[in-house]
Amino acid sequence: MSPGFIFTMSLRARLTLLYASLILGILLVFGSVVYWLVSIVLINHIDEQLHATVSDIVNVTRVDLIGGDLSVIRFPALEMTSNVHVQIWGRNGKLMTTSPSIAVYTEPLDPENLQSPIPVYHETYFEGVHLRVLNVPLIVEGRSIATLQAGASLSLVDTAQEVLLIILGIAIVIAVLLAAIGSWLTVGRALAPLDSITETTEQINRADDLARRIPYNGPAKRDEIGNLIGVFNQTLERLEILFSAQQRFMADVSHELRTPLTVIKGNVDLMRKMKSLDEESLTSIDQEAGRMTRLVGGLLLLAQAESGSESLSMKPVALDTLLLEVFQEMNVLAGERVKLRLSEIDQVQINGDRDRLKQMLLNLVGNAIQYTPKGGEVFLSLSTISEQARLIIRDTGPGIAPEDLPHIFERFYRAEKSRTRDTSTGFGLGLSIAHWIVEKHNGHIEVESEEGQGSTFCIWLPLDEKVIIPVTTD
Ligand code: ADP
């Protein structure tokens, strides 16, 4: 099997193969150790038998010495009750005596070790029989006079080893098969959710339907696959929200651009028909072009804010001076229709982008003036509370309906009543921009409103340097 083939297999097959190979490896090592230990025990048993027999023979062997010379050796009768066969060979290579069981044979049991000067155990074949032979030199007065060869058949050991090999082989094959089947089923079960992830992803791709979610049928306490499904579903949810927000955004932008373009086109067509420049039409075109410029400017700012490319130039800003500036500019806009009041102003300095902070204040004060009906009032105040600057813009206008309140900071969101107003008003971008500017200054914006009772926007900004000199203007 080439390594490349393994990579073309499914993950399930690969894991099964890995698991089965691991089990096979472990069992082979285990089987070899068992086989080796059993063989050692059996051979030891045979060796002990040979050793006992040889000891018995040597103990009863008599040697007669006449005048210091070897004359007669008297061996005991080599009638063995066990399966041990004995031969005694003289140094001259003559068979001196043999046990009756092998009396017909004149060949040494172990020719290789016939002259061995030390006792040696050796395995050999004698007349086709597998034997374990103990060779012992018989030494008299320092002289080796003969070699005793005691051999025992190893057929029982061989049979035991063969049977053991067959049993181990069958056990290993069965164990590896069971392990492979078990791991195939377990891995299949564990990987089944991945199939459903793939299937759902394919359905999403085919149908462009981000509303689909991957079903999770696992245990209550999520495992790794459960976590993956959870994270994947969260990603889908986020993508769905982003995608629908983008679609809504496109629809909103197209809608907002269509009105001024229709007005411009209508006026151009009219002037073409009249074959003269009409002052009223030109003013209308100019207004609509200005409106589109404001819209595109707002969108550009929000797009840059979202992409993070719009950076603020932070410098110490005297908020009180800035608020006074906004107050004076907006007082002109409020005119006689709405009374703009500066109720409290502390001297407060923060670290911020002056232009963006002014834009935020103009948006909020502009809204307050715009939505407050004739004869109403708008109050501005600046104070320092718990190490923070607090700006308040309060009006006595119509207020914001509770169902609109959570959405007013969204792009293009305009409360129901505001949508029907004439086209010279905003696009629903002012509060989104104000919100982004405040957040960029590490502050936050709060709104309280009750229908018919007016609205209060409260902006909290962290202080740079605290200088408070209470001044109250009314
Ligand atoms: P717009 O350009 O429509 O004013 P904004 O983002 O500034 O957009 O405001 C979003 C919506 O919040 C407005 O359409 C209006 O319905 C509501 N709103 C904002 N300020 C006030 C206010 N001071 N009083 C009543 N409604 C307000």
Side-chain angles (χ1 to χ4, degrees):
M1 203 189 304
S2 75
F5 171 73
I6 299 212
F7 293 113
T8 59
M9 290 162 82
S10 69
L11 179 60
R12 188 183 188 185
R14 265 186 286 159
L15 285 174
T16 304
L17 185 69
L18 180 77
Y19 190 58
S21 312
L22 210 67
I23 295 284
L24 178 68
I26 292 170
L27 289 179
L28 279 180
V29 171
F30 177 76
S32 308
V33 170
V34 168
Y35 181 83
W36 179 68
L37 282 177
V38 168
S39 301
I40 284 189
V41 167
L42 291 175
I43 298 279
N44 269 351
H45 180 70
I46 300 269
D47 287 355
E48 273 168 22
Q49 240 182 344
L50 289 174
H51 185 259
T53 309
V54 168
S55 296
D56 288 349
I57 294 169
V58 168
N59 283 342
V60 293
T61 300
R62 293 281 165 269
V63 177
D64 292 338
L65 293 171
I66 297 169
D69 285 334
L70 175 69
S71 95
V72 184
I73 307 169
R74 276 191 299 255
F75 293 111
L78 301 178
E79 293 292 346
M80 300 294 137
T81 47
S82 64
N83 69 340
V84 179
H85 315 285
V86 180
Q87 287 178 336
I88 298 174
W89 290 86
R91 275 288 150 259
N92 53 6
K94 244 182 76 192
L95 180 62
M96 298 173 84
T97 182
T98 175
S99 55
S101 56
I102 51 167
V104 290
Y105 302 110
T106 53
E107 291 301 310
L109 290 177
D110 182 11
E112 227 177 281
N113 292 295
L114 204 55
Q115 304 298 331
S116 173
I118 48 162
V120 173
Y121 286 101
H122 186 232
E123 280 181 31
T124 183
Y125 281 89
F126 180 76
E127 297 295 327
V129 180
H130 192 195
L131 284 185
R132 177 94 172 155
V133 179
L134 171 58
N135 298 274
V136 180
L138 298 177
I139 296 172
V140 175
E141 299 202 333
R143 271 196 301 144
S144 169
I145 54 160
T147 298
L148 191 157
Q149 291 194 328
S153 166
L154 285 173
S155 59
L156 266 177
V157 176
D158 290 343
T159 314
Q161 282 177 331
E162 268 169 36
V163 171
L164 187 65
L165 261 185
I166 292 170
I167 292 174
L168 283 174
I170 293 173
I172 288 175
V173 169
I174 292 176
V176 169
L177 270 179
L178 286 178
I181 293 170
S183 85
W184 178 261
L185 296 176
T186 325
V187 172
R189 245 181 93 107
L191 294 181
L194 288 184
D195 289 340
S196 98
I197 295 181
T198 315
E199 205 181 304
T200 312
T201 316
E202 275 172 359
Q203 281 172 0
I204 290 169
N205 284 343
R206 269 199 307 270
D208 265 345
D209 180 8
L210 283 172
R212 284 178 200 264
R213 296 288 175 271
I214 297 161
Y216 176 68
N217 307 318
K221 190 177 179 306
R222 286 174 176 253
D223 52 15
E224 290 85 344
I225 300 267
N227 287 338
L228 174 69
I229 292 179
V231 172
F232 198 80
N233 279 342
Q234 274 173 14
T235 311
L236 283 177
E237 205 167 309
R238 196 154 158 63
L239 278 178
E240 191 188 3
I241 292 171
L242 286 175
F243 191 62
S244 58
Q246 192 179 345
Q247 279 179 327
R248 219 177 41 238
F249 175 74
M250 293 293 283
D252 287 338
V253 173
S254 323
H255 177 78
E256 292 297 343
L257 284 174
R258 206 175 48 207
T259 316
L261 285 173
T262 314
V263 174
I264 291 172
K265 176 119 183 43
N267 281 303
V268 169
D269 285 349
L270 184 73
M271 285 192 290
R272 196 169 275 143
K273 260 190 212 148
M274 286 166 57
K275 294 199 181 353
S276 71
L277 286 179
D278 171 43
E279 194 51 43
E280 208 178 309
S281 298
L282 283 175
T283 311
S284 177
I285 289 171
D286 192 29
Q287 272 174 358
E288 294 305 328
R291 195 172 145 74
M292 279 203 291
T293 310
R294 284 204 310 280
L295 171 65
V296 172
L299 284 176
L300 191 66
L301 180 67
L302 281 174
Q304 285 168 337
E306 264 173 23
S307 69
S309 59
E310 173 67 28
S311 56
L312 303 184
S313 86
M314 305 297 247
K315 286 191 188 104
V317 178
L319 263 189
D320 45 317
T321 319
L322 184 67
L323 187 65
L324 274 171
E325 206 174 296
V326 170
F327 172 77
Q328 274 151 14
E329 280 179 30
M330 294 314 262
N331 215 3
V332 180
L333 182 80
E336 289 303 307
R337 198 175 67 82
V338 174
K339 193 88 195 112
L340 190 60
R341 295 181 190 284
L342 204 50
S343 50
E344 180 191 8
I345 183 159
D346 286 349
Q347 197 174 354
V348 179
Q349 182 162 298
I350 68 159
N351 197 28
D353 184 318
R354 196 174 195 281
D355 291 344
R356 292 286 173 235
L357 287 169
K358 185 171 177 183
Q359 184 180 9
M360 178 267 293
L361 284 172
L362 288 174
N363 283 354
L364 290 169
V365 180
N367 275 353
I369 294 171
Q370 187 181 337
Y371 293 113
T372 303
K374 194 166 185 246
E377 287 175 300
V378 173
F379 299 92
L380 307 182
S381 78
L382 170 64
S383 52
T384 312
I385 291 176
S386 14
E387 308 283 302
Q388 290 190 88
R390 187 188 69 175
L391 277 156
I392 291 181
I393 296 121
R394 181 167 68 83
D395 64 59
T396 58
I400 303 165
E403 64 271 21
D404 292 324
L405 258 187
H407 304 289
I408 55 170
F409 294 105
E410 290 170 14
R411 280 183 315 193
F412 287 113
Y413 189 86
R414 278 181 286 170
E416 201 54 50
K417 284 181 219 152
S418 325
R419 282 187 205 133
T420 51
R421 67 180 190 258
D422 75 273
T423 51
S424 63
T425 54
F427 309 98
L429 292 180
L431 285 184
S432 313
I433 293 171
H435 189 260
W436 171 73
I437 292 172
V438 173
E439 279 208 329
K440 271 297 219 186
H441 283 83
N442 295 325
H444 65 280
I445 187 162
E446 294 165 357
V447 55
E448 272 176 34
S449 186
E450 217 178 296
E451 272 189 292
Q453 301 294 309
S455 311
T456 305
F457 286 84
C458 186
I459 298 113
W460 296 89
L461 295 166
L463 287 185
D464 174 31
E465 211 174 283
K466 198 170 66 178
V467 189
I468 315 160
I469 303 166
V471 182
T472 309
T473 322
D474 206 57

